[in-house]
């Protein structure tokens, strides 16, 4: 059995994803065969494995950091919000239904602990180490009983827990202490210590606080990672940038030609796979912004309508804000527009949706001769083709089926004048195609922009992952981290009062302060289990296949705290 570690956080967006990726890259560089794992992920930013399984894109990025092929075992449960009250449940890479928060936390999530534990066991049998990422905070006391992604999985696997805190937000000492003090005694016994993320300034000024934190909790801090600009690593839970800002914190390098190229991305509701534009932002002289007003399209050389989990909702939003009219005017003027997945569907003539929004027949913007019919079956694929004379690879994640009735073929969609549409995510990561596409955009926009001939998005991504590995190697106590991964949490860690509060009896509570319910038994609990992880990719492990819990007719929303 391999060693392992759970990277938890004091909050959502504390840096768990990037720290997990950094640890994976540090380990693989020292010869350790390592895999990432996240039991349950809430994200609209997903990816398709070679076996056709849908997982969180953050886990795909972490697999790349570990230099292994991503599989469904690395993210067995994916929740994709479709509204404020419901999410699609993707189990072992395949959608199984929609569910409300009450339905999910009312027993079904708890029953999945056996499934996710089986996936983790398979990874542990195939790798030297498994680095798990938690979700939100482990101290979400209202959700502890049904937790399968934080302390639930840590206790099931007996993994030590490293808690990450974002000091740039402020309050990191209170967050570390409070997170620990709200856990049960048994959960606290696995919390080995802390990692400070995004520190600015002189570390020596922080050290007295770290010493006091050790005095209060009996737990050491395993490193202080400095604030680092321009990492550009795939984000997980949502769009964490200002709509007035550029993509994350990337710095625009000077153009290769005479002009820059301005790209405006419509920040539609339930935006999915916004990482599609990362490859554009990586090009010297390309400025990418997310926008939500019609006047912000005026100076754009290219407008991208990105993917969305709510195509009809996004269409209504575009109309309400005047963006739809602005897009129609652009098309009439021959100014470039690109629609990807849900954005492609919006640009068509008609949408027939009895699945996602159940809105029936809705008129699209009519910019492309395409009619969309939503199917209950989800298309999950890794297509390969060509466009503009260059090879292209991508991935597809959609319920909409496109009936293309004209125009010039463009990947699986079409092109009419300066308007392009395709279901393929990730196509712009194909370097030759991206350069040819940007040349077309520059011509249509009348810009003297020339794509750099040597920009390789794959190389840039590897460099960014190496930077994460460098952060861990240079600013964390890696010897102590390895001891945690190999040997587990230190013995005799003190209990920090008051511990977990008792829950209401209706929530299935523990009876005493400082105690927590045992992890859910690894049985179906009356729910039917079926399916095979090997069909979704089993990392070559030969032990018993994990069970997939059928959640028929469910409806899932997990709130911000459940992430």
């Amino acid at each position: 059995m391999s060693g392992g570690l759970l990277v938890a956080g004091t909050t959502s967006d504390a840096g768990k994803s990037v720290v997990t990726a950094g640890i994976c890259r540090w380990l693989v560089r020292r010869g350790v065969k390592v895999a990432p794992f996240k039991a349950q992920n809430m994200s609209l930013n997903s990816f398709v494995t070679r076996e056709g399984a849908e997982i969180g894109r953050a886990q795909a990025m972490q697999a790349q950091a570990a230099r292994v092929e991503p599989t469904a075992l690395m993210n067995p449960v994916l929740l994709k919000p479709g509204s404020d009250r419901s999410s699609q449940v993707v189990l072992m890479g395949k959608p199984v239904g929609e569910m409300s928060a009450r339905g999910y936390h009312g027993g079904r999530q708890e029953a999945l602990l056996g499934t996710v534990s089986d996936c983790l066991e398979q990874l542990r049998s195939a790798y030297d180490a498994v680095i798990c990422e938690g979700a939100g905070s482990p101290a979400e006391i209202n959700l502890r009983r049904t937790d399968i992604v934080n302390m639930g999985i840590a206790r099931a696997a007996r993994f030590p827990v490293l808690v990450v805190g974002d000091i740039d937000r402020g309050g990191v000492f209170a967050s570390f202490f409070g997170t620990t003090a709200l856990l049960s005694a048994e959960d606290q016994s696995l919390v080995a210590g802390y990692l400070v993320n995004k520190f600015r300034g002189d570390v020596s000024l922080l050290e007295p606080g770290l010493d006091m934190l050790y005095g209060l909790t009996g737990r050491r801090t395993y490193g202080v990672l400095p604030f680092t600009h321009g990492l550009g690593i795939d984000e997980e839970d949502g769009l964490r940038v200002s709509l007035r800002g550029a993509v994350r914190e990337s710095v625009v390098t000077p153009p290769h030609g005479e002009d820059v190229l301005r790209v405006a991305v419509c920040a539609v509701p339930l935006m999915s796979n916004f990482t599609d534009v990362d490859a554009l932002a990586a090009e010297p002289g390309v400025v990418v912004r997310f926008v939500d007003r019609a006047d912000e399209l005026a100076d754009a050389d290219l407008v991208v309508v990105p993917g969305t989990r709510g195509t009809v909702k996004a269409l209504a939003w575009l109309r309400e804000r005047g963006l739809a009219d602005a897009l129609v005017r652009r098309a009439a003027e021959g100014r470039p527009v690109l629609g990807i997945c849900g954005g492609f569907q919006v640009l068509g003539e008609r949408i027939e949706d009895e699945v996602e929004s159940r809105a029936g027949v809705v008129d699209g913007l009519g910019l492309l001769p395409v009619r969309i019919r939503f199917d209950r079956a989800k298309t999950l694929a890794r297509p390969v083709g060509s466009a503009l004379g260059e090879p292209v690879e991508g991935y597809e994640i959609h319920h909409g089926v496109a009936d293309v009735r004209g125009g010039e073929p463009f990947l699986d969609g079409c092109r009419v004048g300066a308007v392009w549409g395709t279901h393929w995510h990730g196509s712009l990561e194909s370097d030759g195609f991206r350069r040819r596409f940007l040349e077309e955009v520059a011509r249509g926009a009348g810009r003297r922009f020339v794509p750099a001939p040597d920009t390789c998005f794959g190389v840039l991504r590897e460099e960014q992952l190496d930077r994460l590995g460098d952060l861990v190697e240079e600013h964390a106590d890696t010897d102590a981290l390895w001891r945690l991964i190999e040997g587990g949490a230190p013995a005799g860690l003190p209990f920090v009062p008051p511990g977990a509060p008792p829950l209401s009896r209706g929530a299935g509570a523990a009876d005493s302060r400082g105690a927590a319910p045992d992890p859910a038994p690894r049985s179906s609990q009356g729910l039917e289990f079926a399916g095979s992880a090997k069909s979704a990719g089993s990392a070559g492990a030969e032990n018993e296949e994990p069970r997939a819990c059928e959640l028929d007719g469910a409806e899932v929303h997990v709130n911000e705290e459940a992430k």
Side-chain angles (χ1 to χ4, degrees), residues 81-170:
S83 72
D84 289 340
R85 296 186 177 275
S86 69
S87 290
Q88 184 181 68
V89 181
V90 178
L91 183 62
M92 296 307 299
K94 304 296 181 184
V96 295
E98 299 275 324
M99 201 187 280
S100 67
R102 186 173 296 276
Y104 191 63
H105 289 289
R108 288 186 171 91
Q109 183 191 35
E110 190 175 9
L112 289 174
L113 182 58
T115 302
V116 301
S117 294
D118 286 346
C119 291
L120 180 56
E121 293 299 304
Q122 285 206 36
L123 291 174
R124 294 182 74 183
S125 71
Y127 292 91
D128 300 328
V130 179
I131 307 302
C132 305
E133 180 188 344
S137 163
E140 286 154 6
I141 53 180
N142 56 315
L143 303 175
R144 174 61 186 92
R145 182 172 180 80
T146 57
D147 169 46
I148 63 172
V149 64
N150 288 306
M151 301 311 300
I153 196 67
R155 279 175 62 172
R158 304 306 301 171
F159 273 2
V161 178
L162 181 69
V163 180
V164 177
D166 180 355
I167 196 170
D168 196 51
R169 293 180 170 188

Side-chain angles (χ1 to χ4, degrees), residues 169-210:
R169 293 180 170 188
V172 74
F173 293 118
S175 297
F176 283 144
F177 180 84
T179 296
T180 308
L182 282 175
L183 299 178
S184 69
E186 186 168 352
D187 284 350
Q188 286 192 28
S189 70
L190 296 175
V191 176
Y194 314 110
L195 185 74
V196 177
N197 191 29
K198 296 186 182 179
F199 179 72
R200 304 172 190 251
D202 185 346
V203 176
S204 66
L205 299 177
L206 188 67
E207 288 172 352
L210 301 180

Side-chain angles (χ1 to χ4, degrees), residues 373-456:
R373 177 184 56 81
F374 274 69
D375 196 344
R376 292 195 178 277
K378 180 184 269 191
T379 297
L380 297 169
R382 290 280 292 270
V384 176
S386 63
L388 304 180
E390 296 287 344
V392 187
E393 296 183 14
Y395 57 99
E396 296 182 70
I397 306 171
H398 54 91
H399 285 279
V401 178
D403 177 12
V404 180
R405 301 187 167 199
E408 178 184 341
F410 177 69
L411 301 176
D412 68 330
C414 64
R415 171 188 181 181
V416 174
V419 180
W420 292 266
T422 176
H423 273 129
W424 290 22
H425 294 290
S427 62
L428 293 168
E429 295 180 18
S430 298
D431 297 322
F433 165 70
R434 182 180 65 255
R435 285 191 277 270
R436 290 293 301 275
F437 176 72
L438 289 176
E439 288 171 356
E440 293 269 341
V441 168
R443 273 196 294 272
R447 295 287 186 186
R448 290 174 294 182
F449 170 85
V450 178
D454 55 354
T455 302
C456 178

Side-chain angles (χ1 to χ4, degrees), residues 531-550:
S532 166
K534 289 196 174 181
S535 64
S538 65
E542 298 297 328
N543 51 323
E544 181 183 352
E545 295 170 351
R547 294 153 287 177
C549 176
E550 293 188 0

